[in-house]
Amino acid sequence: MFSLVTEIRLKSQLARTLLRTYVGSHASEQILEGATTRGSGATLSAAIMICDLRNFTELSGRRHRDYVIGVLNEYFDMIAEPIEAFGGEILKFIGDGLLAIFPLTEPDACRRLLDAVCAAYDATARRTPPAHPIRFGTGVHVGEVMYGNIGSKRRLDFTVIGPAVNLASRLEGLTNDLKRPVLVSGDFVTAAGCSAKTDCLGLHSIKGFDDALEVHALRL
């Protein structure tokens, strides 16, 4: 009986470890508590960041698979470690991109997101070999997101969706055009009180949004 109880406990711990590894700490707890119904979830306010590696298509086309995977892993380490250290939640890796949130229920969420972003860029400056610099763009916004299970009948994803997520993604896409690595929305600057750390780039038309939106660049 002792052996059986030990086996059950080990399997339970293994399940928790695997879930934390693949979906993150908060999502794993939700799933273990039974949040596995498609469409279930909640609306929450969060600071959102989306990152994307630059020149990845060229890199993957010219380099060996193992080298590309090594670069991706190093890049994600540089971003993921400070996000987790400052209390953020990584929801997914999308190819060479990353989506993370800092729920506003936690104190100083916007400030901690900025600290994580700055730490990630500092890490790339220190650790990247000159022969192959790692550059990435980041879009940052704050707003309400729908957080929960989305997917097909047989395959679900625990993630966030909504206009706020779309805007963060659009801002990341603008980083190439505006030649600034980190772009943040005017709403985020107001929420974070970080205008002294940003340069206002004026109003910009954003695809999918009716009104022009104020865009700022974070000074790094």
Side-chain angles (χ1 to χ4, degrees), residues 93-218:
F93 298 103
I94 314 163
D96 59 330
L98 174 149
L99 167 63
I101 61 170
F102 288 70
L104 298 189
T105 51
E106 299 298 321
D108 298 322
C110 293
R111 178 189 59 78
R112 287 187 288 106
L113 183 150
L114 289 179
D115 288 343
V117 169
C118 290
Y121 280 89
D122 287 344
T124 62
R126 291 194 311 269
R127 295 173 58 191
T128 302
H132 187 82
I134 292 178
R135 293 185 292 270
F136 60 98
T138 304
V140 177
H141 183 45
V142 64
E144 285 194 342
V145 297
M146 291 173 281
Y147 181 68
N149 282 304
I150 300 165
S152 68
K153 293 178 181 178
R154 298 180 183 275
R155 177 68 169 84
L156 294 175
D157 189 16
F158 212 91
T159 188
V160 292
I161 61 170
V165 180
N166 298 340
L167 180 53
S169 178
R170 297 298 186 195
L171 288 172
E172 185 284 316
L174 271 179
T175 59
N176 258 335
D177 297 336
L178 299 182
K179 309 302 181 187
R180 300 294 293 267
V182 183
L183 295 180
V184 301
S185 67
D187 288 343
F188 181 89
V189 171
T190 300
C194 63
S195 58
K197 299 179 180 179
T198 66
D199 297 319
C200 183
L201 305 182
L203 298 175
H204 290 264
S205 296
I206 308 292
K207 184 179 179 180
F209 294 84
D210 294 334
D211 299 324
L213 299 172
E214 189 175 274
V215 176
H216 294 246
L218 181 66

Side-chain angles (χ1 to χ4, degrees), residues 16-58:
R16 289 179 180 276
T17 300
L18 286 172
L19 278 170
R20 282 198 301 268
T21 300
Y22 282 93
V23 301
S25 58
H26 185 268
S28 67
E29 292 302 320
Q30 295 288 310
I31 292 168
L32 288 168
E33 289 173 7
T36 57
T37 303
R38 183 168 63 159
S40 65
T43 299
L44 59 86
S45 296
I48 307 145
M49 61 178 290
I50 294 180
C51 305
D52 190 69
L53 185 64
R54 293 286 171 260
N55 302 318
F56 179 68
T57 301
E58 179 184 357

